Tab-separated table of all heavy atoms in Angstrom:
chain	number	residue	atom	x	y	z
Q	1	MET	N	-0.386	26.589	-2.373
Q	1	MET	CA	-1.299	25.866	-3.222
Q	1	MET	C	-1.562	24.502	-2.571
Q	1	MET	O	-0.651	23.840	-2.106
Q	1	MET	CB	-0.670	25.710	-4.612
Q	1	MET	CG	-1.595	25.086	-5.616
Q	1	MET	SD	-0.923	25.001	-7.296
Q	1	MET	CE	-0.964	26.686	-7.796
Q	2	SER	N	-2.802	24.070	-2.575
Q	2	SER	CA	-3.176	22.803	-1.943
Q	2	SER	C	-2.771	21.623	-2.805
Q	2	SER	O	-2.554	21.756	-4.026
Q	2	SER	CB	-4.679	22.763	-1.694
Q	2	SER	OG	-5.365	22.573	-2.917
Q	3	ASN	N	-2.691	20.449	-2.188
Q	3	ASN	CA	-2.390	19.221	-2.933
Q	3	ASN	C	-3.434	18.945	-4.001
Q	3	ASN	O	-3.117	18.484	-5.090
Q	3	ASN	CB	-2.305	18.028	-1.980
Q	3	ASN	CG	-1.038	18.050	-1.152
Q	3	ASN	OD1	-0.085	18.733	-1.477
Q	3	ASN	ND2	-1.052	17.285	-0.085
Q	4	ASP	N	-4.704	19.233	-3.674
Q	4	ASP	CA	-5.783	19.016	-4.646
Q	4	ASP	C	-5.614	19.922	-5.862
Q	4	ASP	O	-5.825	19.490	-7.000
Q	4	ASP	CB	-7.149	19.253	-4.017
Q	4	ASP	CG	-7.564	18.136	-3.076
Q	4	ASP	OD1	-7.027	17.015	-3.211
Q	4	ASP	OD2	-8.425	18.385	-2.209
Q	5	ALA	N	-5.227	21.159	-5.634
Q	5	ALA	CA	-5.031	22.092	-6.750
Q	5	ALA	C	-3.895	21.626	-7.635
Q	5	ALA	O	-4.006	21.633	-8.870
Q	5	ALA	CB	-4.758	23.501	-6.213
Q	6	VAL	N	-2.799	21.198	-7.040
Q	6	VAL	CA	-1.660	20.697	-7.807
Q	6	VAL	C	-2.066	19.456	-8.594
Q	6	VAL	O	-1.760	19.326	-9.777
Q	6	VAL	CB	-0.455	20.388	-6.881
Q	6	VAL	CG1	0.653	19.688	-7.646
Q	6	VAL	CG2	0.051	21.668	-6.229
Q	7	SER	N	-2.777	18.548	-7.938
Q	7	SER	CA	-3.243	17.336	-8.600
Q	7	SER	C	-4.126	17.673	-9.795
Q	7	SER	O	-3.990	17.066	-10.865
Q	7	SER	CB	-3.992	16.463	-7.598
Q	7	SER	OG	-4.482	15.316	-8.218
Q	8	ASN	N	-5.022	18.612	-9.627
Q	8	ASN	CA	-5.917	19.007	-10.715
Q	8	ASN	C	-5.138	19.584	-11.895
Q	8	ASN	O	-5.423	19.272	-13.052
Q	8	ASN	CB	-6.953	20.018	-10.232
Q	8	ASN	CG	-8.001	19.393	-9.356
Q	8	ASN	OD1	-8.263	18.198	-9.427
Q	8	ASN	ND2	-8.604	20.198	-8.494
Q	9	ILE	N	-4.135	20.403	-11.619
Q	9	ILE	CA	-3.320	20.990	-12.686
Q	9	ILE	C	-2.565	19.903	-13.437
Q	9	ILE	O	-2.533	19.876	-14.674
Q	9	ILE	CB	-2.342	22.045	-12.107
Q	9	ILE	CG1	-3.119	23.260	-11.613
Q	9	ILE	CG2	-1.296	22.446	-13.151
Q	9	ILE	CD1	-2.303	24.219	-10.765
Q	10	LEU	N	-1.944	18.995	-12.693
Q	10	LEU	CA	-1.204	17.906	-13.325
Q	10	LEU	C	-2.124	17.027	-14.166
Q	10	LEU	O	-1.782	16.637	-15.275
Q	10	LEU	CB	-0.486	17.067	-12.264
Q	10	LEU	CG	0.645	17.778	-11.511
Q	10	LEU	CD1	1.152	16.895	-10.375
Q	10	LEU	CD2	1.776	18.162	-12.442
Q	11	HIS	N	-3.310	16.747	-13.635
Q	11	HIS	CA	-4.289	15.925	-14.360
Q	11	HIS	C	-4.707	16.602	-15.673
Q	11	HIS	O	-4.778	15.964	-16.718
Q	11	HIS	CB	-5.499	15.650	-13.471
Q	11	HIS	CG	-6.528	14.786	-14.117
Q	11	HIS	ND1	-6.325	13.448	-14.358
Q	11	HIS	CD2	-7.759	15.081	-14.602
Q	11	HIS	CE1	-7.392	12.957	-14.952
Q	11	HIS	NE2	-8.277	13.919	-15.110
Q	12	ARG	N	-4.968	17.901	-15.611
Q	12	ARG	CA	-5.366	18.661	-16.813
Q	12	ARG	C	-4.297	18.604	-17.899
Q	12	ARG	O	-4.609	18.648	-19.082
Q	12	ARG	CB	-5.645	20.124	-16.460
Q	12	ARG	CG	-7.051	20.388	-15.994
Q	12	ARG	CD	-7.382	21.876	-16.064
Q	12	ARG	NE	-6.413	22.720	-15.393
Q	12	ARG	CZ	-6.520	23.194	-14.155
Q	12	ARG	NH1	-7.570	22.893	-13.432
Q	12	ARG	NH2	-5.587	23.953	-13.642
Q	13	HIS	N	-3.038	18.513	-17.475
Q	13	HIS	CA	-1.929	18.501	-18.433
Q	13	HIS	C	-1.483	17.086	-18.793
Q	13	HIS	O	-0.447	16.905	-19.438
Q	13	HIS	CB	-0.755	19.323	-17.896
Q	13	HIS	CG	-1.064	20.796	-17.858
Q	13	HIS	ND1	-0.967	21.603	-18.960
Q	13	HIS	CD2	-1.503	21.584	-16.859
Q	13	HIS	CE1	-1.316	22.831	-18.643
Q	13	HIS	NE2	-1.658	22.845	-17.360
Q	14	GLY	N	-2.246	16.092	-18.362
Q	14	GLY	CA	-1.976	14.715	-18.749
Q	14	GLY	C	-0.773	14.073	-18.088
Q	14	GLY	O	-0.230	13.098	-18.598
Q	15	VAL	N	-0.358	14.614	-16.961
Q	15	VAL	CA	0.786	14.031	-16.247
Q	15	VAL	C	0.312	12.771	-15.536
Q	15	VAL	O	-0.658	12.807	-14.783
Q	15	VAL	CB	1.370	15.035	-15.223
Q	15	VAL	CG1	2.485	14.399	-14.419
Q	15	VAL	CG2	1.856	16.287	-15.944
Q	16	PRO	N	0.980	11.629	-15.803
Q	16	PRO	CA	0.562	10.393	-15.133
Q	16	PRO	C	0.776	10.494	-13.624
Q	16	PRO	O	1.789	11.001	-13.179
Q	16	PRO	CB	1.458	9.306	-15.732
Q	16	PRO	CG	2.408	9.977	-16.642
Q	16	PRO	CD	2.111	11.434	-16.683
Q	17	MET	N	-0.195	10.011	-12.899
Q	17	MET	CA	-0.137	10.079	-11.433
Q	17	MET	C	0.037	8.674	-10.871
Q	17	MET	O	-0.511	7.711	-11.414
Q	17	MET	CB	-1.425	10.700	-10.875
Q	17	MET	CG	-1.752	12.062	-11.443
Q	17	MET	SD	-0.573	13.319	-10.969
Q	17	MET	CE	-1.068	13.559	-9.281
Q	18	ARG	N	0.796	8.575	-9.784
Q	18	ARG	CA	0.929	7.302	-9.094
Q	18	ARG	C	-0.358	7.008	-8.334
Q	18	ARG	O	-1.042	7.905	-7.864
Q	18	ARG	CB	2.072	7.352	-8.079
Q	18	ARG	CG	3.421	7.442	-8.711
Q	18	ARG	CD	4.485	7.351	-7.666
Q	18	ARG	NE	4.332	8.436	-6.696
Q	18	ARG	CZ	5.065	8.583	-5.623
Q	18	ARG	NH1	6.007	7.744	-5.342
Q	18	ARG	NH2	4.874	9.576	-4.798
Q	19	ARG	N	-0.651	5.705	-8.223
Q	19	ARG	CA	-1.782	5.311	-7.397
Q	19	ARG	C	-1.438	5.562	-5.947
Q	19	ARG	O	-0.287	5.505	-5.550
Q	19	ARG	CB	-2.054	3.812	-7.547
Q	19	ARG	CG	-2.714	3.399	-8.759
Q	19	ARG	CD	-3.026	1.948	-8.682
Q	19	ARG	NE	-2.037	1.272	-7.837
Q	19	ARG	CZ	-1.890	-0.010	-7.727
Q	19	ARG	NH1	-2.656	-0.799	-8.389
Q	19	ARG	NH2	-0.982	-0.540	-6.948
Q	20	ARG	N	-2.450	5.772	-5.172
Q	20	ARG	CA	-2.242	5.957	-3.736
Q	20	ARG	C	-2.981	4.842	-3.013
Q	20	ARG	O	-4.165	4.667	-3.178
Q	20	ARG	CB	-2.774	7.312	-3.294
Q	20	ARG	CG	-2.012	8.472	-3.902
Q	20	ARG	CD	-2.548	9.788	-3.423
Q	20	ARG	NE	-2.466	9.927	-1.999
Q	20	ARG	CZ	-1.521	10.608	-1.360
Q	20	ARG	NH1	-0.591	11.206	-2.029
Q	20	ARG	NH2	-1.525	10.688	-0.059
Q	21	GLY	N	-2.220	4.083	-2.217
Q	21	GLY	CA	-2.834	3.034	-1.423
Q	21	GLY	C	-3.227	1.829	-2.244
Q	21	GLY	O	-2.799	1.650	-3.379
Q	22	LEU	N	-4.045	1.006	-1.642
Q	22	LEU	CA	-4.495	-0.235	-2.258
Q	22	LEU	C	-6.014	-0.253	-2.339
Q	22	LEU	O	-6.691	0.326	-1.494
Q	22	LEU	CB	-4.026	-1.435	-1.424
Q	22	LEU	CG	-2.525	-1.629	-1.270
Q	22	LEU	CD1	-2.235	-2.715	-0.245
Q	22	LEU	CD2	-1.883	-1.967	-2.590
Q	23	SER	N	-6.522	-0.949	-3.337
Q	23	SER	CA	-7.969	-1.126	-3.435
Q	23	SER	C	-8.407	-2.097	-2.333
Q	23	SER	O	-7.575	-2.843	-1.792
Q	23	SER	CB	-8.343	-1.698	-4.804
Q	23	SER	OG	-7.923	-3.054	-4.897
Q	24	PRO	N	-9.690	-2.122	-2.010
Q	24	PRO	CA	-10.154	-3.069	-0.992
Q	24	PRO	C	-9.817	-4.521	-1.336
Q	24	PRO	O	-9.446	-5.300	-0.458
Q	24	PRO	CB	-11.665	-2.839	-0.950
Q	24	PRO	CG	-11.824	-1.404	-1.370
Q	24	PRO	CD	-10.745	-1.185	-2.398
Q	25	ASP	N	-9.907	-4.895	-2.615
Q	25	ASP	CA	-9.557	-6.257	-3.016
Q	25	ASP	C	-8.072	-6.532	-2.812
Q	25	ASP	O	-7.680	-7.628	-2.408
Q	25	ASP	CB	-9.922	-6.519	-4.477
Q	25	ASP	CG	-11.412	-6.682	-4.685
Q	25	ASP	OD1	-12.139	-6.949	-3.697
Q	25	ASP	OD2	-11.860	-6.514	-5.842
Q	26	GLN	N	-7.241	-5.537	-3.093
Q	26	GLN	CA	-5.802	-5.698	-2.882
Q	26	GLN	C	-5.473	-5.815	-1.395
Q	26	GLN	O	-4.579	-6.571	-1.025
Q	26	GLN	CB	-5.032	-4.526	-3.486
Q	26	GLN	CG	-4.987	-4.536	-4.991
Q	26	GLN	CD	-4.303	-3.316	-5.535
Q	26	GLN	OE1	-4.629	-2.186	-5.152
Q	26	GLN	NE2	-3.350	-3.524	-6.420
Q	27	VAL	N	-6.194	-5.088	-0.555
Q	27	VAL	CA	-5.966	-5.201	0.887
Q	27	VAL	C	-6.332	-6.610	1.344
Q	27	VAL	O	-5.598	-7.227	2.124
Q	27	VAL	CB	-6.756	-4.134	1.679
Q	27	VAL	CG1	-6.612	-4.344	3.178
Q	27	VAL	CG2	-6.292	-2.732	1.297
Q	28	ASP	N	-7.442	-7.139	0.838
Q	28	ASP	CA	-7.822	-8.511	1.174
Q	28	ASP	C	-6.732	-9.488	0.753
Q	28	ASP	O	-6.387	-10.409	1.496
Q	28	ASP	CB	-9.143	-8.889	0.503
Q	28	ASP	CG	-10.343	-8.140	1.067
Q	28	ASP	OD1	-10.243	-7.614	2.202
Q	28	ASP	OD2	-11.374	-8.079	0.365
Q	29	ASP	N	-6.189	-9.294	-0.452
Q	29	ASP	CA	-5.106	-10.135	-0.953
Q	29	ASP	C	-3.869	-10.004	-0.060
Q	29	ASP	O	-3.236	-10.999	0.287
Q	29	ASP	CB	-4.780	-9.741	-2.397
Q	29	ASP	CG	-3.886	-10.742	-3.107
Q	29	ASP	OD1	-3.899	-11.938	-2.731
Q	29	ASP	OD2	-3.183	-10.338	-4.060
Q	30	ALA	N	-3.539	-8.779	0.319
Q	30	ALA	CA	-2.376	-8.536	1.180
Q	30	ALA	C	-2.538	-9.250	2.517
Q	30	ALA	O	-1.586	-9.876	3.015
Q	30	ALA	CB	-2.191	-7.032	1.395
Q	31	ILE	N	-3.720	-9.174	3.096
Q	31	ILE	CA	-3.979	-9.847	4.373
Q	31	ILE	C	-3.801	-11.347	4.213
Q	31	ILE	O	-3.151	-11.999	5.036
Q	31	ILE	CB	-5.391	-9.499	4.895
Q	31	ILE	CG1	-5.459	-8.026	5.293
Q	31	ILE	CG2	-5.778	-10.402	6.070
Q	31	ILE	CD1	-6.864	-7.513	5.537
Q	32	HIS	N	-4.362	-11.900	3.149
Q	32	HIS	CA	-4.253	-13.337	2.909
Q	32	HIS	C	-2.787	-13.758	2.779
Q	32	HIS	O	-2.349	-14.721	3.419
Q	32	HIS	CB	-5.037	-13.708	1.643
Q	32	HIS	CG	-4.880	-15.127	1.237
Q	32	HIS	ND1	-5.461	-16.173	1.929
Q	32	HIS	CD2	-4.189	-15.691	0.217
Q	32	HIS	CE1	-5.124	-17.313	1.363
Q	32	HIS	NE2	-4.349	-17.050	0.308
Q	33	LEU	N	-2.030	-13.044	1.958
Q	33	LEU	CA	-0.624	-13.397	1.744
Q	33	LEU	C	0.197	-13.224	3.021
Q	33	LEU	O	1.052	-14.057	3.338
Q	33	LEU	CB	-0.042	-12.559	0.607
Q	33	LEU	CG	-0.665	-12.802	-0.770
Q	33	LEU	CD1	-0.146	-11.782	-1.773
Q	33	LEU	CD2	-0.427	-14.230	-1.230
Q	34	TYR	N	-0.068	-12.139	3.752
Q	34	TYR	CA	0.652	-11.892	5.000
Q	34	TYR	C	0.353	-13.012	5.997
Q	34	TYR	O	1.260	-13.504	6.675
Q	34	TYR	CB	0.271	-10.528	5.566
Q	34	TYR	CG	1.088	-10.137	6.773
Q	34	TYR	CD1	2.411	-9.728	6.639
Q	34	TYR	CD2	0.537	-10.172	8.046
Q	34	TYR	CE1	3.163	-9.377	7.747
Q	34	TYR	CE2	1.286	-9.816	9.153
Q	34	TYR	CZ	2.591	-9.411	8.998
Q	34	TYR	OH	3.340	-9.066	10.107
Q	35	ASN	N	-0.895	-13.427	6.069
Q	35	ASN	CA	-1.265	-14.522	6.972
Q	35	ASN	C	-0.676	-15.860	6.551
Q	35	ASN	O	-0.541	-16.767	7.377
Q	35	ASN	CB	-2.787	-14.625	7.105
Q	35	ASN	CG	-3.371	-13.536	7.962
Q	35	ASN	OD1	-2.695	-12.976	8.814
Q	35	ASN	ND2	-4.619	-13.194	7.723
Q	36	LEU	N	-0.313	-15.996	5.270
Q	36	LEU	CA	0.377	-17.198	4.799
Q	36	LEU	C	1.867	-17.188	5.181
Q	36	LEU	O	2.560	-18.164	4.949
Q	36	LEU	CB	0.258	-17.325	3.273
Q	36	LEU	CG	-1.102	-17.720	2.728
Q	36	LEU	CD1	-1.089	-17.708	1.204
Q	36	LEU	CD2	-1.529	-19.093	3.252
Q	37	GLY	N	2.332	-16.057	5.731
Q	37	GLY	CA	3.725	-15.962	6.160
Q	37	GLY	C	4.606	-15.088	5.284
Q	37	GLY	O	5.794	-14.963	5.534
Q	38	TRP	N	4.013	-14.486	4.231
Q	38	TRP	CA	4.798	-13.588	3.391
Q	38	TRP	C	5.221	-12.375	4.211
Q	38	TRP	O	4.485	-11.896	5.078
Q	38	TRP	CB	3.978	-13.110	2.213
Q	38	TRP	CG	3.742	-14.123	1.130
Q	38	TRP	CD1	3.613	-15.472	1.275
Q	38	TRP	CD2	3.579	-13.844	-0.251
Q	38	TRP	NE1	3.373	-16.044	0.052
Q	38	TRP	CE2	3.349	-15.077	-0.902
Q	38	TRP	CE3	3.585	-12.686	-1.007
Q	38	TRP	CZ2	3.147	-15.162	-2.271
Q	38	TRP	CZ3	3.373	-12.775	-2.364
Q	38	TRP	CH2	3.168	-14.003	-2.990
Q	39	SER	N	6.396	-11.833	3.913
Q	39	SER	CA	6.860	-10.616	4.566
Q	39	SER	C	6.115	-9.418	3.992
Q	39	SER	O	5.541	-9.488	2.890
Q	39	SER	CB	8.357	-10.426	4.341
Q	39	SER	OG	8.620	-10.140	2.971
Q	40	LEU	N	6.162	-8.304	4.728
Q	40	LEU	CA	5.552	-7.069	4.217
Q	40	LEU	C	6.214	-6.656	2.907
Q	40	LEU	O	5.537	-6.214	1.969
Q	40	LEU	CB	5.696	-5.943	5.245
Q	40	LEU	CG	4.902	-6.114	6.538
Q	40	LEU	CD1	5.301	-5.037	7.533
Q	40	LEU	CD2	3.409	-6.080	6.266
Q	41	ALA	N	7.542	-6.820	2.825
Q	41	ALA	CA	8.272	-6.462	1.612
Q	41	ALA	C	7.831	-7.314	0.430
Q	41	ALA	O	7.640	-6.809	-0.686
Q	41	ALA	CB	9.779	-6.597	1.839
Q	42	ARG	N	7.662	-8.612	0.665
Q	42	ARG	CA	7.245	-9.512	-0.424
Q	42	ARG	C	5.827	-9.187	-0.882
Q	42	ARG	O	5.536	-9.171	-2.078
Q	42	ARG	CB	7.359	-10.956	0.041
Q	42	ARG	CG	7.092	-11.954	-1.047
Q	42	ARG	CD	7.328	-13.372	-0.570
Q	42	ARG	NE	6.971	-14.337	-1.597
Q	42	ARG	CZ	6.762	-15.621	-1.376
Q	42	ARG	NH1	6.908	-16.117	-0.158
Q	42	ARG	NH2	6.422	-16.416	-2.349
Q	43	VAL	N	4.925	-8.948	0.077
Q	43	VAL	CA	3.542	-8.583	-0.269
Q	43	VAL	C	3.548	-7.270	-1.058
Q	43	VAL	O	2.880	-7.155	-2.086
Q	43	VAL	CB	2.654	-8.467	0.983
Q	43	VAL	CG1	1.270	-7.946	0.620
Q	43	VAL	CG2	2.545	-9.816	1.693
Q	44	GLY	N	4.322	-6.291	-0.582
Q	44	GLY	CA	4.397	-5.006	-1.279
Q	44	GLY	C	4.909	-5.158	-2.700
Q	44	GLY	O	4.345	-4.571	-3.635
Q	45	ALA	N	5.969	-5.954	-2.876
Q	45	ALA	CA	6.523	-6.177	-4.214
Q	45	ALA	C	5.484	-6.844	-5.112
Q	45	ALA	O	5.339	-6.483	-6.288
Q	45	ALA	CB	7.785	-7.009	-4.122
Q	46	HIS	N	4.758	-7.783	-4.571
Q	46	HIS	CA	3.715	-8.488	-5.332
Q	46	HIS	C	2.621	-7.526	-5.798
Q	46	HIS	O	2.102	-7.647	-6.907
Q	46	HIS	CB	3.131	-9.605	-4.466
Q	46	HIS	CG	2.006	-10.352	-5.090
Q	46	HIS	ND1	2.193	-11.256	-6.119
Q	46	HIS	CD2	0.669	-10.321	-4.856
Q	46	HIS	CE1	1.014	-11.753	-6.470
Q	46	HIS	NE2	0.075	-11.203	-5.716
Q	47	LEU	N	2.285	-6.565	-4.941
Q	47	LEU	CA	1.198	-5.632	-5.249
Q	47	LEU	C	1.684	-4.332	-5.887
Q	47	LEU	O	0.866	-3.468	-6.231
Q	47	LEU	CB	0.406	-5.322	-3.972
Q	47	LEU	CG	-0.322	-6.515	-3.352
Q	47	LEU	CD1	-0.903	-6.148	-1.990
Q	47	LEU	CD2	-1.407	-7.032	-4.284
Q	48	GLY	N	3.002	-4.176	-5.997
Q	48	GLY	CA	3.542	-2.980	-6.628
Q	48	GLY	C	3.528	-1.739	-5.773
Q	48	GLY	O	3.434	-0.627	-6.286
Q	49	VAL	N	3.604	-1.936	-4.442
Q	49	VAL	CA	3.640	-0.802	-3.518
Q	49	VAL	C	4.759	-1.016	-2.506
Q	49	VAL	O	5.296	-2.108	-2.377
Q	49	VAL	CB	2.298	-0.612	-2.767
Q	49	VAL	CG1	1.168	-0.280	-3.734
Q	49	VAL	CG2	1.948	-1.836	-1.937
Q	50	ASN	N	5.078	0.007	-1.751
Q	50	ASN	CA	6.084	-0.063	-0.711
Q	50	ASN	C	5.557	-0.891	0.464
Q	50	ASN	O	4.354	-0.921	0.715
Q	50	ASN	CB	6.420	1.357	-0.247
Q	50	ASN	CG	7.625	1.414	0.643
Q	50	ASN	OD1	7.523	1.104	1.826
Q	50	ASN	ND2	8.747	1.804	0.088
Q	51	HIS	N	6.479	-1.518	1.181
Q	51	HIS	CA	6.070	-2.326	2.332
Q	51	HIS	C	5.351	-1.503	3.397
Q	51	HIS	O	4.493	-2.017	4.100
Q	51	HIS	CB	7.275	-3.062	2.935
Q	51	HIS	CG	8.215	-2.180	3.677
Q	51	HIS	ND1	9.176	-1.419	3.043
Q	51	HIS	CD2	8.334	-1.928	5.000
Q	51	HIS	CE1	9.846	-0.742	3.952
Q	51	HIS	NE2	9.357	-1.032	5.145
Q	52	THR	N	5.690	-0.212	3.507
Q	52	THR	CA	4.996	0.606	4.502
Q	52	THR	C	3.540	0.839	4.124
Q	52	THR	O	2.695	1.001	5.010
Q	52	THR	CB	5.712	1.959	4.728
Q	52	THR	OG1	5.837	2.643	3.484
Q	52	THR	CG2	7.080	1.762	5.342
Q	53	THR	N	3.241	0.854	2.842
Q	53	THR	CA	1.849	0.961	2.403
Q	53	THR	C	1.070	-0.264	2.870
Q	53	THR	O	-0.054	-0.140	3.377
Q	53	THR	CB	1.761	1.096	0.871
Q	53	THR	OG1	2.484	2.264	0.467
Q	53	THR	CG2	0.317	1.177	0.393
Q	54	VAL	N	1.685	-1.436	2.699
Q	54	VAL	CA	1.043	-2.674	3.148
Q	54	VAL	C	0.853	-2.624	4.665
Q	54	VAL	O	-0.236	-2.929	5.172
Q	54	VAL	CB	1.886	-3.914	2.755
Q	54	VAL	CG1	1.253	-5.185	3.306
Q	54	VAL	CG2	2.038	-3.993	1.245
Q	55	LEU	N	1.884	-2.235	5.396
Q	55	LEU	CA	1.801	-2.154	6.855
Q	55	LEU	C	0.672	-1.219	7.287
Q	55	LEU	O	-0.147	-1.567	8.151
Q	55	LEU	CB	3.128	-1.669	7.425
Q	55	LEU	CG	3.178	-1.442	8.937
Q	55	LEU	CD1	2.907	-2.738	9.697
Q	55	LEU	CD2	4.526	-0.856	9.335
Q	56	ASN	N	0.591	-0.057	6.673
Q	56	ASN	CA	-0.461	0.905	7.028
Q	56	ASN	C	-1.855	0.347	6.743
Q	56	ASN	O	-2.778	0.534	7.544
Q	56	ASN	CB	-0.251	2.221	6.283
Q	56	ASN	CG	0.970	2.971	6.769
Q	56	ASN	OD1	1.427	2.797	7.896
Q	56	ASN	ND2	1.526	3.803	5.910
Q	57	GLU	N	-2.006	-0.339	5.619
Q	57	GLU	CA	-3.311	-0.920	5.283
Q	57	GLU	C	-3.692	-2.020	6.272
Q	57	GLU	O	-4.848	-2.121	6.689
Q	57	GLU	CB	-3.316	-1.461	3.855
Q	57	GLU	CG	-3.163	-0.406	2.783
Q	57	GLU	CD	-4.397	0.435	2.554
Q	57	GLU	OE1	-5.435	0.209	3.198
Q	57	GLU	OE2	-4.326	1.350	1.706
Q	58	LEU	N	-2.710	-2.854	6.649
Q	58	LEU	CA	-2.993	-3.905	7.641
Q	58	LEU	C	-3.401	-3.289	8.973
Q	58	LEU	O	-4.353	-3.744	9.618
Q	58	LEU	CB	-1.766	-4.809	7.838
Q	58	LEU	CG	-1.345	-5.664	6.640
Q	58	LEU	CD1	-0.099	-6.483	7.000
Q	58	LEU	CD2	-2.441	-6.565	6.156
Q	59	ARG	N	-2.686	-2.255	9.381
Q	59	ARG	CA	-3.021	-1.584	10.650
Q	59	ARG	C	-4.419	-0.983	10.610
Q	59	ARG	O	-5.158	-1.054	11.591
Q	59	ARG	CB	-1.989	-0.503	10.960
Q	59	ARG	CG	-0.684	-1.062	11.431
Q	59	ARG	CD	0.317	0.026	11.727
Q	59	ARG	NE	1.538	-0.523	12.298
Q	59	ARG	CZ	2.676	0.131	12.371
Q	59	ARG	NH1	2.776	1.362	11.916
Q	59	ARG	NH2	3.740	-0.438	12.908
Q	60	GLU	N	-4.771	-0.377	9.460
Q	60	GLU	CA	-6.123	0.213	9.339
Q	60	GLU	C	-7.203	-0.842	9.476
Q	60	GLU	O	-8.293	-0.545	9.964
Q	60	GLU	CB	-6.271	0.919	7.984
Q	60	GLU	CG	-5.653	2.286	7.949
Q	60	GLU	CD	-5.969	3.017	6.652
Q	60	GLU	OE1	-7.019	2.735	6.027
Q	60	GLU	OE2	-5.159	3.879	6.270
Q	61	ARG	N	-6.925	-2.060	9.067
Q	61	ARG	CA	-7.891	-3.159	9.168
Q	61	ARG	C	-7.799	-3.873	10.513
Q	61	ARG	O	-8.529	-4.817	10.764
Q	61	ARG	CB	-7.655	-4.186	8.057
Q	61	ARG	CG	-8.008	-3.704	6.671
Q	61	ARG	CD	-9.478	-3.985	6.358
Q	61	ARG	NE	-9.769	-3.741	4.949
Q	61	ARG	CZ	-9.968	-4.685	4.052
Q	61	ARG	NH1	-9.911	-5.962	4.388
Q	61	ARG	NH2	-10.225	-4.368	2.802
Q	62	GLY	N	-6.858	-3.447	11.370
Q	62	GLY	CA	-6.721	-4.063	12.690
Q	62	GLY	C	-6.024	-5.409	12.667
Q	62	GLY	O	-6.199	-6.219	13.590
Q	63	ILE	N	-5.245	-5.657	11.619
Q	63	ILE	CA	-4.526	-6.929	11.513
Q	63	ILE	C	-3.243	-6.845	12.332
Q	63	ILE	O	-2.424	-5.963	12.102
Q	63	ILE	CB	-4.175	-7.243	10.036
Q	63	ILE	CG1	-5.425	-7.223	9.154
Q	63	ILE	CG2	-3.420	-8.573	9.924
Q	63	ILE	CD1	-6.494	-8.209	9.539
Q	64	PRO	N	-3.048	-7.756	13.287
Q	64	PRO	CA	-1.804	-7.733	14.063
Q	64	PRO	C	-0.616	-8.100	13.176
Q	64	PRO	O	-0.734	-8.998	12.314
Q	64	PRO	CB	-2.018	-8.767	15.164
Q	64	PRO	CG	-3.191	-9.571	14.760
Q	64	PRO	CD	-3.948	-8.811	13.722
Q	65	THR	N	0.497	-7.406	13.347
Q	65	THR	CA	1.674	-7.688	12.540
Q	65	THR	C	2.747	-8.380	13.381
Q	65	THR	O	2.788	-8.234	14.601
Q	65	THR	CB	2.246	-6.403	11.943
Q	65	THR	OG1	2.505	-5.461	12.990
Q	65	THR	CG2	1.279	-5.793	10.942
Q	66	ARG	N	3.570	-9.144	12.678
Q	66	ARG	CA	4.666	-9.855	13.345
Q	66	ARG	C	5.780	-8.872	13.668
Q	66	ARG	O	5.967	-7.859	12.978
Q	66	ARG	CB	5.206	-10.947	12.410
Q	66	ARG	CG	4.155	-11.981	12.047
Q	66	ARG	CD	4.745	-13.079	11.180
Q	66	ARG	NE	5.119	-12.656	9.839
Q	66	ARG	CZ	4.284	-12.625	8.797
Q	66	ARG	NH1	3.013	-12.977	8.955
Q	66	ARG	NH2	4.696	-12.249	7.613
Q	67	ASP	N	6.567	-9.208	14.687
Q	67	ASP	CA	7.743	-8.414	15.002
Q	67	ASP	C	8.763	-8.581	13.893
Q	67	ASP	O	8.929	-9.672	13.353
Q	67	ASP	CB	8.368	-8.848	16.332
Q	67	ASP	CG	7.511	-8.501	17.523
Q	67	ASP	OD1	6.725	-7.533	17.418
Q	67	ASP	OD2	7.631	-9.169	18.546
Q	68	GLU	N	9.452	-7.496	13.570
Q	68	GLU	CA	10.510	-7.587	12.572
Q	68	GLU	C	11.781	-8.057	13.252
Q	68	GLU	O	12.036	-7.719	14.405
Q	68	GLU	CB	10.732	-6.215	11.938
Q	68	GLU	CG	9.482	-5.711	11.241
Q	68	GLU	CD	9.798	-4.944	9.992
Q	68	GLU	OE1	10.974	-4.878	9.619
Q	68	GLU	OE2	8.868	-4.422	9.403
Q	69	PRO	N	12.590	-8.858	12.565
Q	69	PRO	CA	13.845	-9.315	13.176
Q	69	PRO	C	14.805	-8.144	13.426
Q	69	PRO	O	14.775	-7.159	12.697
Q	69	PRO	CB	14.433	-10.260	12.131
Q	69	PRO	CG	13.721	-9.984	10.861
Q	69	PRO	CD	12.403	-9.336	11.224
Q	70	ALA	N	15.602	-8.279	14.468
Q	70	ALA	CA	16.577	-7.224	14.784
Q	70	ALA	C	17.619	-7.156	13.673
Q	70	ALA	O	17.984	-8.164	13.082
Q	70	ALA	CB	17.249	-7.534	16.118
Q	71	ARG	N	18.109	-5.952	13.414
Q	71	ARG	CA	19.111	-5.786	12.341
Q	71	ARG	C	20.475	-5.644	12.931
Q	71	ARG	O	20.763	-5.181	13.920
Q	71	ARG	CB	18.790	-4.545	11.527
Q	71	ARG	CG	17.488	-4.733	10.785
Q	71	ARG	CD	17.223	-3.565	9.895
Q	71	ARG	NE	15.952	-3.769	9.242
Q	71	ARG	CZ	15.608	-3.217	8.138
Q	71	ARG	NH1	16.410	-2.428	7.529
Q	71	ARG	NH2	14.438	-3.440	7.612
């Protein structure tokens, strides 16, 4: 069964679905905050998404990202 078919079935039965990705306005906000020096984790927490979502959106817009500190 395809993802679309599953999504349609869940929607018909009123199952709440998580949002996927960020709206264009949220991406603009993420870029602004990231450029102010906020971490990906902090931007993600502010927008209610995972830091990898923020990273992927920045990459899609061609925004260069800072190196992460070594752990």
